[in-house]
Amino acid sequence: MNEKAYVISIFNLPKLSYRMWLVWRRNFDVFMKTYLVNFIPPLVEPLFYLVGLGYGLGGFVQPQEGLRYIAFIAPALVAVSMMYSSFFECTYASFIRMYYQKTFNAIIATPVNLEEVIAGEILWGATKSFINSSIMLVVVLIFGLITSPLFLLIPPLSFLIGILFASIAMCFTAIIPNIDSFNYPSFLYITPMFILSGTFFTITGLPQPIQIFAKIFFPLTHAVALSRALALGRINSSLLFNLGWILIAAPVFFIAAINLMKRRLIK
Amino acid sequence: MSQNTDDALIKAKNLTKKYRDFTAVDSINFGISNGECFGLLGPNGAGKTTTIKMIQCVLPLTAGALMVAGMDVTKRSREIKAMIGIAPQEDNLDPDFTVVYNLVVYARYFDIPKTESLARAGQLLKFMQLEEKRDVLIGNLSSGMKRRVILMRALINQPQILILDEPTTGLDPQARHLIWDKIKRLKKQGVTIVLTTHYMEEAAHLCDRMLIMDNGKIIEEGNPETLVKKHVGEEVLEVAYDEKVMDYLKSSFPEAKLEIVNDRIQVFSSQPRGLFTEILDKFSFKGAILRNANLEDTFLKLTGRRLRE
Ligand SMILES: Nc1ncnc2c1ncn2[C@@H]1O[C@H](COP(=O)(O)OP(=O)(O)OP(=O)(O)O)[C@@H](O)[C@H]1O
Ligand SMILES: [Mg+2]
């Protein structure tokens, strides 16, 4: 295969059917078996951030965009939980299912095809984003940090954003040699994104090149902007750019993830 | 048991699989008839699992053609997979679930509703004598029990073709006989069975026909009894190793093939019974036996005694 054909083949349209939901359902069933255990970490972790950073650090920080610090970071933390839950679901957890448990091998022996397995995994990653960020949203709501009914749009948005992060994660899963290699995307991509996406300080305070870099390469920038706007009812036209970025990137990475995984698994 | 591959249920023509430059299956031809138990034998790395994975539509062919029930594996994989039950060589049971839930979730991939899959699971658990492990997590089963669960899972969609890749490896004799019994019953019901195994006794016992592969090529094909007769003969003489006996055998019977295995001399000859009495007369020693030639002799003769890396 020459280089051009190789690149094009990454964007072949996958053959999908309702069967991808059977794969989703398998993961959902595992989740529900131990749902109590599964709900606690996403409930506790944001509390630490809110209390520690919001109240603790907030005492030293000047208001950001005219908001108390805790009200500034709260919707961003909701977006961060979308990123973390879907990204880690489709890196470590998917890799374990694929490589150690051979779950994908078992499923593709049935009428479900490999494309549907990967799509189901990504949909499940998106669902984790929905679940965890919704829990977080409730916490933030209880803290009285939400001021607009538009916040009700955040859960559906969390699914879309979840698809994007899960797909990016799955692309890494398709190319890494072993599970330890996830350290690279985690520390070199996810951690800087966590810090530099307008989460804990406005992105406009950063040097111009970093701002541009963040807008191009850090989907979290867009997720934070949308989440904050909906939680606080601050709607403006730049949100169209944020939403458009996600709407374009999500299907592109979704399709690329499926094709890269096929390349990894079909010898 | 037709050798005519035109009406075969599974038909391979110049089937080839390369992993990069390495040829794992090298242009093989075979036909498996409806309702037969077909053995795929061969040393480690012969290409058995690779062949099976192509039949079950999870591994693309490099060249050649492969048809299952008249359908091309490269075009109609979903329909073919729906009619196949597979017990893979590797353990890929779902460790996150119990035994019964493994069956239910797997059945769901075939669109079998839960009431139906639970009923089938109940019957299979009973048959495999694993009822008391119904609600045990996979990780808490012994490896032999896992093999049995894998077999149950292969049957949950009531397949027309059952593919068993080393189904009895690691099983105790009781469980092995249980599975043989099940395989024979399924065969009576008309299920076509493709079996790989390293136990020659098992292959001889179950298979109507078999092919022996080595290095990706078919080296022999046929009915087990016929193969034994053709390559080894009726009987084999075994004598405890002794230099005098060895010298005697070599000089008196240049046509006989002698193999030293575990301090015993195995004598393959067209008239072993005569040899046997002669040797007894000459040396009058104990420990010489004359036994029926078996498939293991045939297999070793055809594939050599060298270990596969
Ligand atoms: N994914 C792969 N990539 C490269 N080579 C492979 C791959 N899978 C199998 N092979 C090679 O193909 C050959 C045939 O392997 P296969 O698994 O079909 O053997 P087998 O007959 O099933 O052996 P065994 O009795 O040990 O199960 C072996 O040499 C093996 O190393
Ligand atoms: Mg094998």
Side-chain angles (χ1 to χ4, degrees):
Chain A
M1 211 184 319
N2 67 40
E3 227 163 86
K4 198 171 153 207
Y6 180 88
V7 172
I8 291 170
S9 73
I10 292 177
F11 298 103
N12 285 342
L13 280 186
K15 292 190 229 57
L16 299 176
S17 73
Y18 70 94
R19 292 181 181 86
M20 62 190 178
W21 292 104
L22 299 173
V23 178
W24 178 91
R25 183 68 200 280
R26 179 234 165 251
N27 292 337
F28 178 75
D29 286 352
V30 176
F31 179 82
M32 288 310 284
K33 258 190 350 155
T34 50
Y35 65 93
L36 275 180
V37 184
N38 291 327
F39 282 139
I40 289 167
L43 201 69
V44 172
E45 200 198 343
L47 279 173
F48 283 124
Y49 278 119
L50 267 186
V51 174
L53 294 178
Y55 291 122
L57 190 62
F60 300 93
V61 178
Q62 58 186 0
Q64 299 274 314
E65 294 181 357
L67 291 164
R68 274 191 305 146
Y69 190 58
I70 192 167
F72 177 77
I73 63 167
L77 290 175
V78 174
V80 165
S81 81
M82 297 175 201
M83 171 177 80
Y84 274 133
S85 50
S86 52
F87 189 83
F88 287 112
E89 184 64 35
C90 287
T91 46
Y92 290 95
S94 288
F95 192 85
I96 287 169
R97 287 191 282 271
M98 168 185 80
Y99 188 82
Y100 295 101
Q101 302 188 357
K102 314 276 182 205
T103 309
F104 297 2
N105 288 1
I107 300 176
I108 59 169
T110 73
V112 181
N113 65 29
L114 184 60
E115 282 115 317
E116 288 156 351
V117 173
I118 307 309
E121 287 280 313
I122 291 172
L123 289 173
W124 172 245
T127 307
K128 286 290 285 284
S129 161
F130 172 83
I131 294 171
N132 287 15
S133 67
S134 297
I135 292 170
M136 179 79 184
L137 195 59
V138 171
V139 173
V140 170
L141 197 65
I142 293 169
F143 272 69
L145 299 168
I146 287 187
T147 54
S148 162
L150 286 175
F151 85 89
L152 288 171
L153 291 173
I154 293 178
L157 186 70
S158 72
F159 193 82
L160 173 66
I161 291 169
I163 287 185
L164 173 57
F165 281 113
S167 300
I168 293 172
M170 199 54 95
C171 291
F172 284 118
T173 303
I175 58 177
I176 62 146
N178 56 54
I179 196 161
D180 294 325
S181 315
F182 281 131
N183 283 336
Y184 288 92
S186 301
F187 288 122
L188 300 180
Y189 185 55
I190 295 297
T191 304
M193 179 150 54
F194 171 63
I195 302 293
L196 297 175
S197 294
T199 356
F200 299 107
F201 43 82
T202 54
I203 189 170
T204 47
L206 293 168
Q208 187 75 17
I210 296 183
Q211 277 187 49
I212 293 169
F213 184 88
K215 280 182 187 161
I216 296 174
F217 293 106
F218 290 164
L220 186 61
T221 313
H222 309 293
V224 166
L226 288 164
S227 176
R228 191 171 280 141
L230 294 171
L232 304 171
R234 298 179 165 193
I235 303 301
N236 60 59
S237 60
S238 71
L239 295 175
L240 282 176
F241 170 70
N242 300 124
L243 185 63
W245 196 99
I246 291 167
L247 280 173
I248 291 168
V252 169
F253 280 103
F254 180 80
I255 290 168
I258 289 175
N259 287 304
L260 288 170
M261 274 308 248
K262 275 173 74 178
R263 192 160 298 160
R264 176 183 190 124
L265 293 174
I266 299 179
K267 304 251 170 54
Chain B
M1 251 167 277
S2 87
Q3 301 280 26
N4 174 8
T5 56
D6 285 343
D7 60 346
L9 185 65
I10 301 171
K11 188 166 72 175
K13 195 158 184 296
N14 301 328
L15 182 63
T16 302
K17 180 66 198 183
K18 286 187 182 167
Y19 298 107
R20 294 170 189 273
D21 298 331
F22 177 78
T23 308
V25 171
D26 195 355
S27 193
I28 63 174
N29 294 285
F30 63 85
I32 301 176
S33 307
N34 200 355
E36 76 175 331
C37 180
F38 190 85
L40 271 179
L41 307 189
N44 293 142
K48 304 180 295 295
T49 300
T50 302
T51 305
I52 279 178
K53 283 185 173 167
M54 290 190 280
I55 297 174
Q56 55 162 149
C57 309
V58 298
L59 193 66
L61 325 183
T62 307
L66 183 58
M67 308 288 281
V68 177
M71 297 179 282
D72 186 337
V73 292
T74 60
K75 297 199 177 82
R76 295 171 70 185
S77 61
R78 266 206 230 279
E79 286 148 284
I80 294 172
K81 289 198 288 181
M83 61 186 284
I84 289 181
I86 163 96
Q89 183 172 8
E90 65 179 9
D91 162 26
N92 59 20
L93 290 168
D94 205 321
D96 291 319
F97 295 128
T98 61
V99 169
V100 69
Y101 218 70
N102 256 277
L103 302 177
V104 169
V105 171
Y106 199 76
R108 201 160 60 198
Y109 300 132
F110 290 90
D111 292 322
I112 300 167
K114 193 167 176 181
T115 44
E116 176 63 23
S117 58
L118 275 174
R120 290 186 194 179
Q123 289 164 3
L124 289 167
L125 283 161
K126 195 164 168 190
F127 181 83
M128 288 292 168
Q129 299 177 13
L130 275 175
E131 280 162 304
E132 76 280 19
K133 300 290 179 189
R134 184 182 186 276
D135 298 310
V136 172
L137 279 175
I138 293 301
N140 298 333
L141 296 179
S142 76
S143 65
M145 289 173 183
K146 282 186 203 157
R147 288 307 297 165
R148 274 141 78 188
V149 178
I150 284 180
L151 202 68
M152 289 196 274
R153 193 184 64 177
L155 293 169
I156 199 80
N157 62 323
Q158 300 181 334
Q160 195 184 328
I161 299 170
L162 181 62
I163 301 180
L164 306 171
D165 198 349
E166 301 190 21
T168 59
T169 299
L171 290 183
D172 62 28
Q174 289 86 344
R176 179 169 300 159
H177 283 280
L178 190 76
I179 285 176
W180 288 0
D181 186 37
K182 181 71 181 174
I183 291 173
K184 279 188 272 181
R185 271 207 243 173
L186 288 163
K187 217 186 87 174
K188 267 199 201 111
Q189 291 165 20
V191 176
T192 304
I193 294 156
V194 182
L195 174 82
T196 83
T197 181
H198 291 298
Y199 301 111
M200 295 303 130
E201 187 200 351
E202 177 168 292
H205 187 70
L206 295 172
C207 298
D208 303 312
R209 231 151 44 82
M210 57 179 54
L211 54 82
I212 299 179
M213 292 179 75
D214 200 4
N215 297 317
K217 291 195 176 74
I218 296 175
I219 53 175
E220 191 44 292
E221 187 177 354
N223 164 283
E225 280 167 36
T226 322
L227 287 183
V228 175
K229 284 216 181 79
K230 176 174 165 194
H231 292 283
V232 188
E234 300 278 352
E235 285 162 324
V236 179
L237 173 64
E238 282 196 21
V239 200
Y241 182 77
D242 184 305
E243 258 174 52
K244 275 185 292 175
V245 182
M246 196 70 185
D247 289 344
Y248 168 75
L249 289 170
K250 268 185 193 157
S251 58
S252 322
F253 301 97
E255 58 84 34
K257 192 166 174 296
L258 309 177
E259 289 250 22
I260 300 168
V261 185
N262 299 330
D263 276 345
R264 294 179 73 78
I265 310 169
Q266 295 187 344
V267 186
F268 300 95
S269 157
S270 45
Q271 74 284 49
R273 199 172 282 277
L275 269 178
F276 184 63
T277 41
E278 216 169 307
I279 287 168
L280 273 185
D281 287 350
K282 202 137 191 149
F283 295 93
S284 66
F285 66 100
K286 299 176 186 76
I289 55 160
L290 189 64
R291 60 166 176 80
N292 284 331
N294 59 35
L295 194 58
E296 187 137 341
D297 302 321
T298 316
F299 184 85
L300 289 170
K301 181 169 178 208
L302 288 171
T303 58
R305 289 186 177 271
R306 187 178 60 86
L307 270 187
R308 302 312 151 113
E309 59 286 327

